[in-house]
Amino acid sequence: MRAYWYDDKPGDQRLPHDSGDPISVSYLSALGVFYHQCDDIASVNEIASQRQYKNRDEITVSPTTMGAVYEDKVKMFFNEHMHEDEEIRYCLDGEGFFDVRAEDDARWVRIRLSKGDLIVLPAGIFHRFTTDEENYIKAMRLFKEDPKWTALNREEKLDSNPYRKEYVECRAKAVESS
């Protein structure tokens, strides 16, 4: 895993967009993002048990597996959105980027995931996803309940969403206590 400020320069979303300004794991933690390097499935199982994840599946995002809809799907994943559940991904192969909003909600933090990286995005955080230039990632998705993936694209009315409000309040408390 490598995290850094997104450079906001024009260009394909799958490019690194690396500003050269790294972000620490502790900063990600302050945003509510959990990261862990898992060398084997036993490590994933341990985290899944601790966090009460009951279900899982695998997804491969690539032109080979998705065919003609690949480009549309990658663009859809890159729309800024949030979920009312944690988003948990364990990278099995390939690489991809999760971009999460910084505490000021103005800038993006880019998180590059590679094989063995596990990331948990909290409910209510605005984020987006894309593959890298290789156009391939295979990931395990973990879920607390039945597998579901409902993206709520960013719009003003989401400011009153209870999961978004809870996320913002938790981040404000974390800033106050630091």
Side-chain angles (χ1 to χ4, degrees), residues 52-56 85 142-148:
Q52 300 176 340
Y53 301 144
K54 299 175 188 161
N55 290 298
R56 60 184 72 185
D85 298 304
L142 294 101
F143 306 91
K144 287 196 175 197
E145 300 299 332
D146 291 331
K148 73 175 186 174

Side-chain angles (χ1 to χ4, degrees), residues 5 27 31 101-108:
W5 292 109
Y27 182 79
L31 294 176
R101 283 290 184 186
E103 80 284 346
D104 62 6
D105 205 38
R107 299 185 297 166
W108 288 106

Side-chain angles (χ1 to χ4, degrees), residues 87 89 97-100 109-111 113 121 127-129:
E87 182 163 348
R89 298 293 179 268
F97 300 107
F98 275 95
D99 298 338
V100 298
V109 172
R110 176 152 273 201
I111 306 165
L113 295 183
L121 303 182
H127 65 282
R128 59 193 184 187
F129 171 79

Side-chain angles (χ1 to χ4, degrees), residues 139-158:
M140 179 184 294
R141 304 184 303 176
L142 294 101
F143 306 91
K144 287 196 175 197
E145 300 299 332
D146 291 331
K148 73 175 186 174
W149 187 86
T150 304
L152 303 173
N153 288 335
R154 186 159 196 172
E155 57 184 333
E156 193 173 317
K157 74 178 186 179
L158 284 180

Side-chain angles (χ1 to χ4, degrees), residues 105-173:
D105 205 38
R107 299 185 297 166
W108 288 106
V109 172
R110 176 152 273 201
I111 306 165
R112 182 180 202 120
L113 295 183
S114 302
K115 184 176 181 176
D117 291 334
L118 182 138
I119 192 169
V120 179
L121 303 182
I125 192 172
F126 283 115
H127 65 282
R128 59 193 184 187
F129 171 79
T130 189
T131 56
D132 68 3
E133 295 170 277
E134 298 298 318
N135 293 307
Y136 171 79
I137 188 168
K138 181 177 181 179
M140 179 184 294
R141 304 184 303 176
L142 294 101
F143 306 91
K144 287 196 175 197
E145 300 299 332
D146 291 331
K148 73 175 186 174
W149 187 86
T150 304
L152 303 173
N153 288 335
R154 186 159 196 172
E155 57 184 333
E156 193 173 317
K157 74 178 186 179
L158 284 180
D159 290 340
S160 62
N161 176 289
Y163 296 92
R164 176 65 184 165
K165 286 172 72 172
E166 180 180 349
Y167 173 77
V168 170
E169 289 168 10
C170 285
R171 300 294 51 91
K173 287 177 186 172

Side-chain angles (χ1 to χ4, degrees), residues 34-91:
F34 172 80
Y35 166 76
H36 192 78
Q37 172 66 38
C38 295
D39 296 324
D40 54 36
I41 199 68
S43 300
V44 175
N45 291 340
E46 184 177 328
I47 292 168
S49 176
Q50 291 168 357
R51 297 181 71 94
Q52 300 176 340
Y53 301 144
K54 299 175 188 161
N55 290 298
R56 60 184 72 185
D57 67 12
E58 291 181 8
I59 183 170
T60 302
V61 180
S62 75
T64 303
T65 59
M66 300 178 102
V69 300
Y70 172 75
E71 288 296 331
D72 289 338
K73 286 288 188 185
V74 168
K75 286 178 183 147
M76 181 189 76
F77 297 153
F78 202 64
N79 286 328
E80 184 174 3
H81 63 278
M82 61 164 261
H83 304 282
E84 293 182 338
D85 298 304
E86 291 180 335
E87 182 163 348
I88 308 100
R89 298 293 179 268
Y90 173 58
C91 184

